[in-house]
């Protein structure tokens, strides 16, 4: 992959699934990485599995803006700049609206939307000073299509899509690019954030069916492609579904 080697990349939500796969992919391509998530044991194991990579980690909760800012500061202190921020953390506790799961609604708003905004707020002043940078967010097919049982989750992903397009429009003159990657079914641990038993089993089983669910590395490849493009090219949206997925 061209144009990735030496780039300073921060990955939030890096401890498993898409974040872990993207860390491995970008390390292979020679990026300088700062990875963050809540689970320190997973981060340590990931760093140890990449002995030849230039990589650091920090424990951070994306809902805590001070912790997110500390991750960005770590990257600047270590490397002097930030070329890419990948906002990847997210949860998906889907259930019908009639079940009024207020705590789950708040959790999705805090992580899926405020987590992205906290990342943007922390890195934007640095990228504006640099007059360059790229901010990427994991969105979802649910940010483009609404379906029953997932109204709030879809709402958070529609919001991310709108925020990232607004970011593109506001910061294009500062040479700052924004990209959303919108996956369909992917075989990750995201289903474990679903508390409704029927929904959890459906997502788990369908994501793991051979020929249906994508692998995290499929999404990592898409992220790497977006990062590898020249600064004159803005890849605004990538939608990536399993070939056999209906929605």
């Amino acid at each position: 992959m061209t144009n990735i080697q030496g780039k300073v990349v921060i990955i939030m939500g890096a401890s498993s699934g898409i974040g872990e796969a993207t860390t491995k992919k970008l390390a292979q391509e020679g990026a300088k990485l700062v990875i963050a998530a809540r689970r320190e044991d997973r981060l340590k194991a990931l760093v140890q599995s990449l002995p030849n990579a230039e990589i650091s980690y920090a424990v951070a909760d994306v809902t805590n803006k001070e912790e997110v800012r500390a991750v960005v500061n770590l990257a600047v202190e270590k490397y002097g700049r930030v070329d890419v921020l990948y906002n990847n953390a997210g949860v998906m506790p889907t259930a019908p609206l009639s079940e009024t799961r207020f705590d789950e609604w708040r959790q999705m708003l805090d992580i899926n939307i405020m987590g992205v905004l906290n990342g943007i707020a922390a890195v934007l002043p640095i990228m504006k000073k640099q007059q360059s940078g790229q901010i990427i967010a994991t969105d979802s097919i649910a940010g483009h299509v609404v379906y029953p049982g997932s109204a709030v989750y879809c709402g958070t992903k529609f919001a991310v899509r709108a925020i990232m397009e607004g970011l593109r429009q506001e910061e294009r003159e500062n040479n700052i690019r924004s990209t959303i990657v919108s996956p369909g079914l992917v075989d990750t641990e995201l289903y474990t954030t679903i508390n409704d038993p029927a929904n959890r089993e459906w997502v788990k089983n369908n994501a793991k069916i051979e020929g249906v669910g994508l692998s995290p590395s499929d999404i990592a490849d898409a992220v790497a492609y977006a990062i590898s493009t020249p600064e004159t090219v803005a890849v605004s949206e990538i939608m990536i579904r399993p070939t056999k997925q209906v929605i």
Side-chain angles (χ1 to χ4, degrees):
M1 190 71 69
T2 59
N3 205 30
I4 292 179
Q5 186 168 3
K7 281 195 171 181
V8 178
V9 182
I10 298 171
I11 302 176
M12 308 299 297
S15 61
S16 64
I18 293 169
E20 179 183 8
T22 303
T23 298
K24 292 177 178 178
K25 174 68 176 178
L26 297 184
Q28 179 184 350
E29 299 295 338
K32 298 176 180 179
L33 297 165
V34 174
I35 62 172
R38 291 176 297 176
R39 297 177 291 186
E40 185 172 15
D41 57 333
R42 295 283 192 98
L43 293 171
K44 278 186 177 179
L46 181 53
V47 170
Q48 290 168 359
S49 74
L50 300 167
N52 298 319
E54 196 163 355
I55 183 171
S56 302
Y57 80 85
V59 177
D61 184 333
V62 296
T63 67
N64 185 315
K65 61 182 183 293
E66 286 79 18
E67 291 182 6
V68 174
R69 188 178 298 114
V71 175
V72 173
N73 289 342
L74 172 62
V76 174
E77 289 164 10
K78 192 170 182 65
Y79 300 114
R81 68 184 194 277
V82 179
D83 297 310
V84 181
L85 168 66
Y86 182 21
N87 283 314
N88 175 64
V91 292
M92 188 180 68
T94 55
L97 288 168
S98 60
E99 295 186 8
T100 60
R101 299 189 179 205
F102 292 101
D103 290 343
E104 291 181 1
W105 296 348
R106 174 57 61 185
Q107 181 190 32
M108 280 189 278
L109 293 171
D110 286 345
I111 295 175
N112 296 359
I113 300 176
M114 285 307 303
V116 169
L117 289 169
N118 288 339
I120 292 171
V123 82
L124 202 51
I126 295 160
M127 290 184 173
K128 290 180 77 167
K129 185 176 180 180
Q130 295 171 169
Q131 286 292 288
S132 68
Q134 184 175 20
I135 299 174
I136 303 172
T138 300
D139 201 66
S140 172
I141 293 299
H144 303 258
V145 180
V146 180
Y147 46 92
S150 298
V152 178
Y153 177 68
C154 291
T156 65
K157 292 303 184 177
F158 268 77
V160 169
R161 185 177 162 204
I163 289 164
M164 293 295 285
E165 170 59 14
L167 175 66
R168 183 194 71 80
Q169 294 180 21
E170 291 178 10
E171 299 300 335
R172 59 189 174 81
E173 294 295 340
N174 291 314
N175 204 35
I176 296 170
R177 300 182 291 163
S178 73
T179 302
I180 60 168
V181 179
S182 297
L185 280 171
V186 185
D187 184 6
T188 71
E189 297 176 7
L190 186 61
Y191 75 89
T192 63
T193 67
I194 303 173
N195 295 314
D196 180 83
N199 278 358
R200 183 172 61 246
E201 284 304 304
W202 186 92
V203 172
K204 175 184 176 182
N205 293 335
N206 279 273
K208 292 182 179 295
I209 293 172
E210 185 176 355
V212 177
L214 297 168
S215 71
S217 63
D218 293 325
I219 313 306
D221 288 344
V223 174
Y225 165 72
I227 294 172
S228 73
T229 56
E231 287 193 1
T232 53
V233 176
V235 180
S236 299
E237 297 185 5
I238 300 176
M239 294 179 70
I240 176 168
R241 291 180 174 94
T243 300
K244 295 183 180 180
Q245 180 171 324
V246 175
I247 297 173

